[in-house]
Amino acid sequence: MKNVMSRRSFLATTAMSVIALGMRPAVADTAKAAEVLKGSGSLVVSTWGGAYVESQTDSFFKPFTEATGIEVVTTGTPDAAKLKLMEQSGNVEWDLLDAEGQMMLTAQKEGFIQKIDYDLIHKIVPEDDLIKESLQEYGFPSVAFGWVLAWNPEKYKDAAPKTWADLWDVEKFKGRRAAYANARPMLEIALLADGVDKDKLYPLDLDRAFKKLDELKPHIDVWVENTGQYDVLLQNAEVDMMLGSLGRSYLAKSKGLPVDYTMDGGLWQQSYWIVPKHAPNAANAMKLIAWMAQAENEANFVAKFPYGMPNKKAYALMPKEISDNIPTSPENLPRQVQIDPAWWTENLEAVNRRWLEWYSNR
């Protein structure tokens, strides 16, 4: 606790000093970055839609274009099968993907992505400023994002849900429910709801997880097949309880929408920027990665979405109410469960077959 408090005091002092001086931190570095990264042409970024891509555009893509002259075109959604087909057909349409950890590891193993240009990144951001544990040879950290139990507080005024087991308790917590139409992290939350200790989650007990999901399936009113759907569900209060995106839930709550959630028992995973092996605009993709790695740019994005960032200096620019909603902050990390991308890489094909068979029989 002593270390956490001293760190938070340091962050608060640093942020207040910047405000008191009326300065925008790293202005000189941003100007230098613009000069180093200046170019022409464009690149296509495959990302996740909705409010998420809007925040990326405001914080990263638009300022990058203004500073460098390189146009950023966004499209969705990152898909391992599409990437594989593009590479095998020789018709690669994407230059940069915001890929989940498992997708990055699989694409690396299959030879469909190229090494990250860390020499370029370090011209913009000193190596020591980056969280080394999150760096990968073939992937640069985009966000550490989370999943939480979210609900409508107007529905549950007397007693709010607190654990994943409450999502299953359809008698005590009546109401419309939504779930993510993906094995990850539905299998994890099923096991947590069934009493598995978070430190003993992997390897996943698939039989036990699917048995637990069988109990919940008849009570799911909405299956979310694209994370962008969360924005609509939250905005319109279409469901009362769900496995929700932390970032989208936070954004909805901050706008005054009827949304609440708990960080307890939340799940998080690291995503990575990856560049296809035959991306037509790979050089521009590497420039965009370097631009996004700057602390000020990351802090601007986190003000919109509470996701973990790879630049350590970005955290000094975040107010407490932001860091309190980041899954990888010192305060939250002990309460969270990290999704294991290595396990998913090893087991993805078999698990997906079983999931699709289970999911299609709704």
Side-chain angles (χ1 to χ4, degrees), residues 1 10 13-14 33-34 43 50 71 76 81 88 114 117 125 175 192 218 224 244 263 287 325-326 329 338 361:
M1 181 61 71
F10 167 75
T13 301
T14 303
L43 74 150
E71 181 184 5
Q88 290 179 334
Q114 56 185 277
D117 188 350
V125 178
L192 292 170
V224 176
M263 299 296 289
K287 288 182 177 181
N325 287 279
I326 293 179
S329 71
Q338 182 177 7
N361 294 319

Side-chain angles (χ1 to χ4, degrees), residues 179-199:
Y180 191 31
N182 196 303
R184 184 184 66 249
M186 288 298 296
L187 296 177
E188 281 89 346
I189 70 165
L191 291 172
L192 292 170
D194 204 37
V196 175
D197 187 276
K198 69 183 184 68
D199 295 323

Side-chain angles (χ1 to χ4, degrees), residues 181 217-218 220 222-223 225 355-362:
K217 183 191 284 188
I220 297 300
V222 179
W223 287 95
E225 297 188 351
W355 171 266
L356 289 172
E357 180 180 356
W358 179 87
Y359 178 68
S360 61
N361 294 319
R362 301 196 307 282

